[in-house]
Amino acid sequence: MASSSARSQIICVSFNQDNSLFSIGTKDGFKIFDACNGRLCYEKNLGGFNIVEMLFGTSLLAIVGTGEQPAMSPSSLCLFNTKKEASKKDLNFKTSILAVRLSRKRLIVVLQHRSYIYDLNSTTILEEIETVPNMKGLCAFAPNSEECYLALPASTSKGSALVYKASKPELICQIDAHQAPLAAMVFSSDGMYLATASEKGTMIRVHLVAPATKSHSFRRGTYPSTIYSLAFSPSVGLPDVLVATSSSGSLHMFFLDAGRNGRRQANTLLSSVIPGSVTDALDPANHHVIHHVVPADIKSCLAVHSVENSQNSSKLPALKTVIYIVTHDGYFREYVIGTTKSNESSWLLEREFNLLDAGLSSLKQNEQHIDL
């Protein structure tokens, strides 16, 4: 069990755009790890950090300090070059920066009442968006999509989101997903889907972005729980997988294709009287749960590394899903989950290590994992 001091040391966690690297910000500085082998690639001790965002595997970082150092104000964004060990550009704001997102062309900065879309190369403001009060800096961004979709909360009283094309930029639609305010949202890698969870956390809904229509509703559980993280799989030609972690300490995995269990919903009595999106929520074939994957009430950030076909011990066709979880008590965990069309599942904790104990024996030896 992690000590209380260890629990409080990790301030922020973030995966890069292809989930090959992840960063943690602590009260002392920040670290970047290779997610595939757990190797520490880079670290910098400059005081506390609220935000550490990477641009794929490049040397560019977007960092925001906690204010312990005069030059690292919570209202100052530093574009930091890890190769030159120097700031490339500083952007200063009147209020604290709550979230930052990056793509190869765009920089997104989220404040409590405003969000900014920048051209990353020139750091020119392309759009300033006035938003409803966004105390948590909630946003979703699809950096790998052609349009660079951006979603921001549209209400403080219900779970609605405004979706923008950051590439132009322009507002394209509003998605009304929940009765309660939003707590988490994420785009699929291609920007086709937007998944959302409300502060209640009992339902997770998935919308097709272009027509702004609901495609799936999944019931996470009966009792309220805070959704800490949502993530889609990077699947191409395989079923879309959506995973979630919550304050209950459980991992939930949902399949967006209802037919993978070998049954046709249209042939069931239930689906003849209830829309398909509701049937999805009631069909256990689309939902798998692993209990106690992380300690309850410990914040976590997860990513789906891969989904691939495999053969289980009974020779039935199966899907092998590899999931990374980083928790704010200082641990990285890799889970491998196998699921069959007959709705059987199995899981294995493949790796686990302490992030706070990791140190660089030789920085030059490890720098090869980042394109410096």
Side-chain angles (χ1 to χ4, degrees):
M1 182 66 67
S3 67
S4 58
S5 61
R7 290 183 179 216
S8 64
Q9 282 187 354
I10 291 187
I11 301 171
C12 64
V13 177
S14 178
F15 285 88
N16 71 342
Q17 292 81 356
D18 59 11
N19 299 330
S20 61
L21 302 166
F22 67 91
S23 64
I24 62 170
T26 71
K27 63 182 181 61
D28 299 317
F30 65 86
K31 297 179 180 182
I32 297 176
F33 294 85
D34 187 316
C36 294
N37 56 32
R39 181 176 296 179
L40 179 59
C41 304
Y42 184 88
E43 70 175 333
K44 195 74 173 177
N45 294 321
L46 293 173
F49 282 87
N50 286 328
I51 295 172
V52 181
E53 290 288 329
M54 297 164 282
L55 180 62
F56 292 90
T58 71
S59 57
L60 183 65
L61 302 178
I63 55 178
V64 178
T66 61
E68 294 180 6
Q69 300 294 330
M72 297 302 296
S73 165
S75 59
S76 177
L77 170 64
C78 175
L79 294 176
F80 185 78
N81 187 307
T82 58
K83 184 176 183 179
K84 296 181 179 179
E85 293 282 322
S87 171
K88 177 182 177 181
K89 181 74 174 183
D90 291 327
L91 299 173
N92 298 305
F93 301 87
K94 293 182 179 180
T95 61
S96 295
I97 301 166
L98 303 179
V100 176
R101 298 292 185 267
L102 292 169
S103 73
R104 296 193 187 277
K105 296 182 178 180
R106 295 292 178 261
L107 165 65
I108 310 298
V109 180
V110 179
L111 312 181
Q112 182 176 339
H113 296 285
R114 285 178 173 80
S115 294
Y116 296 87
I117 301 175
Y118 286 84
D119 177 89
L120 178 62
N121 294 322
S122 65
T123 61
T124 302
I125 295 179
L126 302 178
E127 189 76 13
E128 178 180 346
I129 304 169
E130 289 193 19
T131 63
V132 298
N134 187 7
M135 299 289 292
K136 298 178 181 178
L138 184 63
C139 68
F141 188 50
N144 298 318
S145 66
E146 183 177 350
E147 303 294 351
C148 287
Y149 289 116
L150 169 68
L152 297 166
S155 172
T156 57
S157 60
K158 62 179 182 178
S160 300
L162 294 172
V163 179
Y164 298 83
K165 288 182 180 179
S167 57
K168 293 199 175 179
E170 64 178 355
L171 175 65
I172 60 170
C173 68
Q174 177 171 321
I175 292 177
D176 299 318
H178 306 270
Q179 293 298 317
L182 295 172
M185 54 183 176
V186 67
F187 282 107
S188 58
S189 60
D190 58 4
M192 178 181 294
Y193 295 111
L194 176 67
T196 61
S198 73
E199 291 179 350
K200 190 175 180 181
T202 55
M203 298 293 296
I204 295 174
R205 294 195 167 95
V206 180
H207 285 73
L208 283 166
V209 172
T213 56
K214 183 169 61 178
S215 63
H216 295 77
S217 291
F218 299 112
R219 180 171 292 280
R220 180 211 55 82
T222 304
Y223 298 100
S225 183
T226 301
I227 302 298
Y228 287 142
S229 186
L230 290 169
F232 277 100
S233 65
S235 305
V236 177
L238 287 173
D240 287 291
V241 176
L242 174 66
V243 294
T245 55
S246 71
S247 55
S248 68
S250 299
L251 171 69
H252 298 262
M253 184 166 65
F254 307 95
F255 290 97
L256 271 63
D257 62 326
R260 77 175 301 274
N261 59 338
R263 291 176 291 173
R264 295 182 60 86
Q265 289 180 319
N267 292 334
T268 67
L269 175 62
L270 185 63
S271 65
S272 67
V273 295
I274 301 180
S277 60
V278 178
T279 308
D280 288 346
L282 302 176
D283 189 351
N286 292 337
H287 183 194
H288 295 265
V289 184
I290 303 175
H291 298 287
H292 310 301
V293 296
V294 296
D297 298 319
I298 296 296
K299 289 184 179 181
S300 56
C301 180
L302 79 165
V304 182
H305 170 65
S306 62
V307 180
E308 60 186 40
N309 286 308
S310 65
Q311 293 288 336
N312 64 5
S313 57
S314 61
K315 305 302 181 183
L316 291 174
L319 287 177
K320 175 185 174 182
T321 305
V322 179
I323 297 173
Y324 299 149
I325 304 177
V326 180
T327 53
H328 281 235
D329 61 348
Y331 285 88
F332 171 91
R333 295 176 177 90
E334 177 185 325
Y335 283 92
V336 179
I337 304 173
T339 52
T340 70
K341 285 190 175 183
S342 60
N343 200 32
E344 296 176 345
S345 63
S346 60
W347 61 271
L348 173 68
L349 176 58
E350 186 74 17
R351 287 187 295 152
E352 179 180 23
F353 57 88
N354 189 320
L355 302 170
L356 300 175
D357 291 342
L360 286 175
S361 58
S362 173
L363 181 58
K364 292 183 179 180
Q365 177 182 355
N366 295 322
E367 279 182 343
Q368 61 184 324
H369 294 279
I370 304 181
D371 182 18
L372 298 177

